[in-house]
Amino acid sequence: MEMTEEAYNIYNSVYDVAHSLHEMTVKQVQIQSYRNEEWNAHPWKLLPFLKQINFINSVGHHVVLDSQMKLEEKYDILNVWNFPTGLRQNMKVGTFSPKAPQSQQLFLSDHMIQWATGFTEVQEVIVSVGAAFGPICPCCACVSEGHSWSNQTSWSNWSSRSSQSWWILCLREPLWSQGNGFLALRAVRAVVLDSENPPRKARLPAAMIVLLVQIMRFPMRQTLVPLSSLDDFLCKLKALSPLHSDGNMVIAALVPLFHYYLRKTDDLRGEDMRDLWFKWRSYQFSLAFIFAVEEINKNTHILPNTSLGFDLYHVPSNQWHILQEAFTCLTGARIIIPNYTCRGQKKAAALLTGTSWATSAHIGRLLNLYKYPQINFGPFDTMLSDRAQFTSLYQTAPKDTSLSQGIVILMVHFNWTWVGLVLIDDHNGAEILSDLRGEMDRNRVCIAFVEMIQDNLISSDDFSRTTYLKILKSSANVVFIYGDTESSHGIIINTGIRLMNGKVWIMRSQWDSTTDFEYFIFDSFHGSLIFAHHRVEISDFRKFVQTYNPSKYPEDGYLAVLWNTYFNCPFSGPDCKILSSCLPNVSLEMLPKNVWEMDMTEESYTVYNSVYAVAHSLHEMTLKQVQIQPHGNGEIHNFPWELHPFLKNVHLKNGAGKLVVLDSQRKLDAEYDILNFWNFPDGLRQKMKVGTFSPKAPQGQELFLCDHMIQWAIGFTELPRSVCSESCVPGFRKSSQEGKAACCYDCTRCPDNEIANETDMDHCVRCPESHYANTEQNHCLQKAVTFLSYEDPLGMALICLALGFSSLTAVVLVVFVKHHHTPIVKANNQALTYILLITLTFCFLCPLLFIGHPNTATCILQQSTFAVLFTVALSTVLAKTITVVLAFKVTVPDRLTRWLMISRAPNLIIPICTLIQIVLCGIWLSTSPPFIDSDAYTEHGYIIIICNKGSTIAFHSVLAYLCSMALGSYTLAYLSRNLPDTFNEAKFITFSMLVFFSVWVTFLPVYHSTKGKHMVAMEVFSILASSAGLLGCIFFPKCYIILLRSHRNVLSHVRNKAYSREKVNLTA
């Protein structure tokens, strides 16, 4: 809020112009005081007044524009404080007055100065310069007090390019890394470089302390650690310092303890701000590392008589400046000097790195040059297992080759067929996407969307509004997030901030659930399902964490900061220790759950195993060295690269009894615990084990899940559904939508007699012929067997008709037999009449073969009996017709006619015609006889047993033969209908044949248009109708005369009727 120097100059400049305008206006008024006219001042007229400006401003400072009149300024010396970020204070620590006596020009409060990060006290800095605009000497240690400038020419050439003096500083220790073109420097001793003279060594006066604390814009952010005092600030700064423990052998580790983020600024430069966020969860990695070392030191079976020490470096979790710590581990100095070391003989045997694959890859390429063993405690990465690139790198974590299979099986278990994917855009994301696509295609799970996110550690803005809206608007309620702890941290933070409830998140265990954000009572990740590598809990670790406190480990500055921040324990002084009397009973277990996890995380477990792997390798190497040099002095010195054969062959069981293998070729697929993240209300933060996934289990038994234990995300009161289209219920099949994924479909009802007895069936299944689909079309029912039975109403009706007509025919026959002596019976060949009546009786009984359960015998007898009987009947009618025609030709007889009448030759028509029909039936039965058949389609739900005609040609041939005889009889009877005879049957035969012919002509189309037992009934009805037509048309008129008009059935009446007809004809 204070006015800056530039703002102050602007303020004075405005007053300069205003005073000059005032003086010019006064002078102009004096000149034109007696003139009544306006005056116009040109801008150049202001110059004399500006040159002479000399006044005191409102705060009492002298303001002069003329450079010749300016006095040398008095300086305030400011110290810029900007750690952590947001502090940004310019503290006045002194003044410099050039007019004061020489010994009193500088006034400085040294104790108020905050030096650059990395210095806790005032240090001397030796300064040197290299060739013109070339590199400064690679190591400041090479510059000594006695070093002289040897390249006069180079200096002259370089200095001639500038007319100003230069200060070039080469620090013994870099404060922070370079950024945005600025470097935080502090000089107490420097080389003064003047443009006219070669460089000379000189001790600068204290007044010229160069506090370029207008450093690169490198703010530090630590929102959870309030700055209460200057001492607190220094102690919090010390928390980032490395942690060391001496030992005969040393293991080093780079633990990612904080993040760097870029964020936009609002100033005119438009540069990005770099914010620092501490990762409290990662502090557990350090504790696991220390715990493993201490446990090994207590174990007499590993490295006996040898103490194991460690170097623990707290580094940024992304790739910025990560090589600096690697060089520090190699050289023992903070300055980055390749191929230079300040270490003695005790160099770290191996370096543990993680958790990001990119961090391990960057360090791995450096360590490969020195064949320095590197153990990655992050998730297994296929790229890091490439021995061609990383010959010195080993990975402790198990492989994740079955992860995609487990995730898809979980989705299938819950019927989630519409899933979104949020993946980190790197080779791991590409690999898991390929694996997931294959598994999803095999299990009919579809991808709703795929979002490839850049590494969010660099910029949290990568999780853009577009991605957020895509996830929020998608109908997929299940989203899978994949990435290691570091790369997915930005996604986790953004998802939590945006409060995306109503989604079920599936993810790997490598994610940081401890954040600095509060989400009120809601957490986006409540109800998430997490795949974590199966591991056995190490009970001693929890005890170790519970007893890990500042009084026991006073050298751990980070622990002291936690005690100061969360338990309000003050620092004891410059040593930044916590007083033992401050809350002696508190522990890390009491920290908020959004800050600290007591259970060993997966990465911490891998760190633990990595330390054991290195320790066992050192143990084996030591044993081998002792065997080679059994009479040595007890001291064993090995080079780090000698450890590789032992690391590659590591095959051990850790403190929990689990197998640890570093060789990627011998690693087994991991088994997974499925965890359910509970965090409602916010602060609960529990990971409950709800199932397991074992890829080695028998097929169908890989997944074990306790569904009732799962708490689903906020917004779901039951099992969440994640589908593109609602399931097709039984009775409907899926019909794909054009241009959309296979999981997007419409539901279409199954066709007739097809069923879908399961949900979401692709195709309907046709029921067997013996079954039929129910109304809902989800089940096939057994069809009932039916036929034209005697119990059937239609069958009973037909039986009654058949028996009635046959009885009636028998009655007619009895009547004719009883009245055989009467003229009407004797007329028209009495024998033929009896044959016709007997045949009609059997024709009426013939339908009984069509009713009832068909069998082979009845099927054969049905058609053959019907054909033969009707042939006999029609041939008898034909014979009667011919007899009538011949009888009326007797009036003018010739020999042939007389012979035909006397020999009764017309009666031979019956056997001849019958024989022809028998031959036709014989051919039919011998070639393709009728057989038992079933009709499963005519009547829904029934199988109708019928007799198949066999050969349709033979059947129609029989009918055609019968119709031809009927047509012949009809023709002869029609021609003889008007012959004069009292009992002439020609008219009756004509009508009977017309009925017969009409019935069977109508029968054919009706017969072929009906199915099942109705077809049988139609045939039976045609038989009865045609038979009844013959009976009724031929015999009912005669029965009428015999029974009701008996007076007309006497010979006298016949003669009188004939005489009367003859008389009438003569008169006419």
Side-chain angles (χ1 to χ4, degrees), residues 122-347:
V122 178
Q123 297 185 9
E124 291 186 346
V125 180
I126 302 297
V127 181
S128 177
V129 66
F133 295 102
I136 299 177
C137 61
C139 176
C140 292
C142 65
V143 181
S144 62
E145 291 289 341
H147 187 274
S148 61
W149 185 260
S150 60
N151 193 338
Q152 184 74 28
T153 304
S154 298
W155 167 245
S156 300
N157 293 337
W158 180 82
S159 61
S160 64
R161 303 185 186 185
S162 176
S163 59
Q164 300 181 7
S165 297
W166 291 82
W167 296 80
I168 299 181
L169 307 178
C170 178
L171 300 180
R172 284 188 183 276
E173 297 237 1
L175 306 183
W176 286 96
S177 300
Q178 295 184 10
N180 296 335
F182 298 95
L183 184 65
L185 305 178
R186 183 190 77 261
V188 176
R189 180 188 295 175
V191 173
V192 180
L193 303 180
D194 188 77
S195 61
E196 297 179 356
N197 302 307
R200 67 185 186 279
K201 288 192 170 42
R203 182 176 296 276
L204 298 180
M208 298 306 293
I209 292 180
V210 182
L211 291 175
L212 298 179
V213 198
Q214 164 86 16
I215 44 180
M216 57 172 186
R217 299 187 47 244
F218 186 71
M220 309 294 287
R221 182 175 184 183
Q222 191 176 6
T223 55
L224 294 181
V225 184
L227 186 62
S228 57
S229 66
L230 184 60
D231 290 337
D232 289 355
F233 168 75
L234 293 176
C235 291
K236 291 176 174 65
L237 180 63
K238 186 181 178 182
L240 295 179
S241 302
L243 193 62
H244 303 281
S245 176
D246 292 332
N248 302 118
M249 296 181 177
V250 177
I251 302 177
L254 304 182
V255 178
L257 198 59
F258 50 90
H259 281 307
Y260 285 144
Y261 285 97
L262 287 181
R263 61 183 176 87
K264 300 296 182 181
T265 58
D266 297 329
D267 58 15
L268 297 178
R269 286 178 291 180
E271 298 171 348
D272 291 339
M273 295 287 289
R274 275 182 287 186
D275 289 349
L276 181 144
W277 293 71
F278 280 100
K279 294 181 59 182
W280 305 110
R281 177 178 182 268
S282 299
Y283 182 55
Q284 194 190 90
F285 306 165
S286 302
L287 299 189
F289 180 76
I290 298 171
F291 168 72
V293 171
E294 291 187 359
E295 193 175 59
I296 291 170
N297 285 331
K298 295 176 184 177
N299 192 337
T300 58
H301 300 288
I302 304 176
L303 296 174
N305 301 322
T306 302
S307 61
L308 187 64
F310 62 82
D311 291 333
L312 186 59
Y313 301 93
H314 296 152
V315 297
S317 59
N318 50 359
Q319 294 85 51
W320 290 351
H321 323 307
I322 192 66
L323 292 181
Q324 176 175 315
E325 301 300 336
F327 271 110
T328 302
C329 179
L330 288 172
T331 64
R334 300 291 297 176
I335 187 80
I336 300 178
I337 317 169
N339 300 324
Y340 180 87
T341 179
C342 296
R343 287 187 179 276
Q345 295 293 330
K346 199 181 298 180
K347 182 182 291 188

Side-chain angles (χ1 to χ4, degrees), residues 442-493:
R442 284 190 288 273
N443 292 274
R444 298 186 176 184
V445 179
C446 299
I447 299 176
F449 61 86
V450 178
E451 281 296 302
M452 304 299 290
I453 307 298
Q454 297 297 323
D455 191 339
N456 293 49
L457 296 179
I458 298 176
S459 175
S460 60
D461 293 334
D462 286 339
F463 197 85
S464 62
R465 178 177 175 81
T466 304
T467 303
Y468 165 69
L469 292 177
K470 181 176 290 188
I471 297 175
L472 198 63
K473 293 181 178 180
S474 174
S475 57
N477 291 325
V478 177
V479 181
F480 173 57
I481 298 179
Y482 182 83
D484 57 36
T485 308
E486 312 305 336
S487 58
S488 62
H489 186 72
I491 300 177
I492 301 300
I493 293 298

Side-chain angles (χ1 to χ4, degrees), residues 375-498:
I375 315 296
N376 175 43
F377 58 83
F380 187 88
D381 191 279
T382 55
M383 191 180 77
L384 297 181
S385 63
D386 183 3
R387 304 307 295 175
Q389 292 190 63
F390 305 99
T391 58
S392 301
L393 191 148
Y394 304 88
Q395 301 186 76
T396 310
K399 291 182 178 180
D400 280 325
T401 51
S402 301
L403 178 63
S404 57
Q405 178 189 3
I407 290 171
V408 174
I409 290 178
L410 176 72
M411 295 174 182
V412 172
H413 175 79
F414 290 117
N415 294 321
W416 293 333
T417 59
W418 191 239
V419 181
L421 304 179
V422 178
L423 313 175
I424 301 301
D425 192 7
D426 58 10
H427 69 282
N428 286 318
E431 287 178 7
I432 195 68
L433 178 59
S434 176
D435 294 341
L436 283 173
R437 284 190 189 276
E439 289 292 336
M440 287 181 171
D441 290 343
R442 284 190 288 273
N443 292 274
R444 298 186 176 184
V445 179
C446 299
I447 299 176
F449 61 86
V450 178
E451 281 296 302
M452 304 299 290
I453 307 298
Q454 297 297 323
D455 191 339
N456 293 49
L457 296 179
I458 298 176
S459 175
S460 60
D461 293 334
D462 286 339
F463 197 85
S464 62
R465 178 177 175 81
T466 304
T467 303
Y468 165 69
L469 292 177
K470 181 176 290 188
I471 297 175
L472 198 63
K473 293 181 178 180
S474 174
S475 57
N477 291 325
V478 177
V479 181
F480 173 57
I481 298 179
Y482 182 83
D484 57 36
T485 308
E486 312 305 336
S487 58
S488 62
H489 186 72
I491 300 177
I492 301 300
I493 293 298
N494 277 275
T495 302
I497 292 174
R498 297 176 190 272

Side-chain angles (χ1 to χ4, degrees), residues 137 247 405 672 715 754 769 779 1028:
C137 61
Q405 178 189 3
Y672 297 91
E754 293 186 8
E769 290 188 357
H779 187 63

Side-chain angles (χ1 to χ4, degrees), residues 986-1026:
K987 293 181 180 179
F988 303 140
I989 292 174
T990 301
F991 284 112
S992 65
M993 290 300 102
L994 184 61
V995 171
F996 183 89
F997 190 77
S998 300
V999 168
W1000 288 105
V1001 169
T1002 307
F1003 162 78
L1004 290 175
V1006 176
Y1007 177 81
H1008 288 292
S1009 63
T1010 56
K1011 299 292 182 182
K1013 60 184 180 181
H1014 296 95
M1015 184 174 63
V1016 179
M1018 182 62 198
E1019 188 172 0
V1020 171
F1021 179 78
S1022 298
I1023 292 172
L1024 293 175
S1026 58

